[in-house]
Each structure stands twice: as structure tokens, then as C-alpha cells.
Amino acid sequence: MASITDIIPAGSILPVCTINNPDRAVPLARTLQDCGIHFIEITLRTESAFTAAENVINECPGMHVGIGTVTSVEQLQRAKEAGAQFCVSPGMTERLVNTAGKLDMPYLPGVSTVSEVMAAREMGLGYLKFFPAESAGGIGALRMFRELFPDVRFCPTGGLNENNAADYLRLDNVFCIGGSWLVPPEKIEAADWEGIKKIARRPALPIEPERVKGHFNSC
């Protein structure tokens, strides 16, 4: 089974997309591909999310499509049937972890506390989503996790933006970060693809280029 790191290279920013109109999904994905981004998380926060994901899966070769906000086994199974290549959850349950394993689905479950990280390690997980990052302690919490769990790597998501993204990516126990600020829902709804590219061109990540593989500044 592929791992999440086979899909999302170290140092990357994962675009977290909320799509109301499924017709916007393919142009959005192609905009990201034009900018060198070949992975996308489509959240299950809208009724059209699965349709949007299927559109990208069917029409955008080379784009790795993930389903986010997965909170049930049924959603995980549907994501597999749709052809999604990875799934992301805001939290974690043993049933979801076990089902992802049975489906051979690369899976990034969410944690926010020491106890949850310990439970994840007992289930053999070494890559986790830290959510909601900013309100759950942010960089300070991740530094503490580094001391307690040097073998675990995190994808912080929730409250990240162009002002703090670089600080998160500098942490050696962060393998990638997730963010919706790069793909604002209002710009997706308005089909403002040039607007998304303008956001991407901002010098938001003043860190070593080798630490960031897959952010938008190549547009």
C-alpha cells in the first residue's frame, strides 16, 4: 500500500478545498497543476464534494485526489469506490484506521492531544494530521510532541495562513502543512483562477527552497 508520503512530498503545502459547485473542480485542479501542485484535498463540507472529486479523478490525469473531513467508515468506502488516492480525517477512531488498512487507502487521521498521539502510535501510525493546529496549541504543541514522540511526523491544519506557514514548515517533525488560504472558497465559487495564482505568487514562505516542494510560488 502506498503511504501518505508517497503522495505528498516532504515540505509541501496541501491545498484544502471546499467546493460548492462541482463544475469548478476541474478548472481548479488544472490551475493547481499549472502551478506545479499535483495533490489536492477536497473536503466533505458540501453536498457536491464527491461529485467534485470524481470530476477531478476522471478529467485530471496526474492529480492525486484526497477526500477530507472523513468522519465515517461509509465515507471512507465511498472515497475508495470513487477512486480517491488518500483520505484525511479531523479526528481518529480505531474503526476508521482499521478500515483504511483493509481498503489499502493511505490515511491521515487527525489528533490534537498527547493521548490521541499515543493511541495513534499504538495502532502503528507514524504520520498524523494535527488539527485544529492553531487552537490546539500550534507550534508550541508541536515542539512538545517532538520531545515526546520523536518518531511521529505531523501535517498541521487549521488556522494556518501565509503569515505563519513558514514557521510551521521549519519544524523538523512537520512533513507537510494543509491550508485553505491558498484556495479561498469565494475565489473558487467565482472561478477566479488568476486570483488564486496571485495568492500563490506572494512570497509567503521565506524559507529554504528544498524544504518546500509543491507550494504555489512556481506559478
Side-chain angles (χ1 to χ4, degrees):
M1 180 179 75
S3 71
I4 200 75
T5 54
D6 293 325
I7 298 167
I8 306 172
S12 296
I13 301 175
L14 172 63
V16 180
C17 308
T18 299
I19 302 174
N20 288 293
N21 183 347
D23 292 339
R24 300 288 189 263
V26 169
L28 172 63
R30 288 175 176 162
T31 297
L32 299 182
Q33 287 181 304
D34 287 345
C35 293
I37 303 296
H38 300 288
F39 36 84
I40 184 174
E41 177 188 335
I42 297 176
T43 68
L44 296 181
R45 297 184 181 183
T46 67
E47 293 182 359
S48 63
F50 272 116
T51 301
E54 289 168 349
N55 288 348
V56 176
I57 291 165
N58 293 330
E59 299 185 41
C60 298
M63 176 60 83
H64 298 283
V65 179
I67 301 296
T69 325
V70 171
T71 58
S72 71
V73 165
E74 292 74 22
Q75 291 172 337
L76 196 60
Q77 291 169 332
R78 185 174 175 186
K80 179 69 174 183
E81 293 166 1
Q85 291 167 294
F86 65 100
C87 283
V88 183
S89 290
M92 179 187 66
T93 70
E94 187 173 358
R95 189 173 177 221
L96 278 170
V97 172
N98 289 340
T99 300
K102 291 176 182 176
L103 294 173
D104 286 335
M105 173 66 75
Y107 181 51
L108 194 64
V111 297
S112 61
T113 68
V114 168
S115 294
E116 290 168 346
V117 178
M118 290 173 63
R121 288 172 81 239
E122 287 185 356
M123 287 185 268
L125 301 175
Y127 290 88
L128 303 168
K129 174 179 176 176
F130 177 47
F131 177 82
E134 278 288 280
S135 59
I139 288 171
L142 285 165
R143 286 174 175 158
M144 179 265 293
F145 288 160
R146 177 67 180 87
E147 296 298 318
L148 296 174
F149 314 111
D151 55 332
V152 180
R153 297 294 178 266
F154 297 90
C155 173
T157 306
L160 277 69
N161 54 55
E162 62 183 16
N163 296 317
N164 60 19
D167 293 329
Y168 277 94
L169 279 171
R170 286 191 182 101
L171 300 176
D172 61 6
N173 63 336
V174 167
F175 76 95
C176 74
I177 62 175
S180 59
W181 87 92
L182 295 169
V183 282
E186 65 274 12
K187 291 192 178 295
I188 296 174
E189 185 65 23
D192 185 4
W193 315 126
E194 287 303 315
I196 289 176
K197 286 184 178 181
K198 287 179 181 178
I199 295 173
R201 291 189 185 108
R202 293 174 187 169
L205 302 171
I207 64 177
E208 300 84 354
E210 62 271 17
R211 281 284 294 143
V212 185
K213 304 171 185 176
H215 67 79
F216 290 14
N217 290 350
S218 61
C219 294

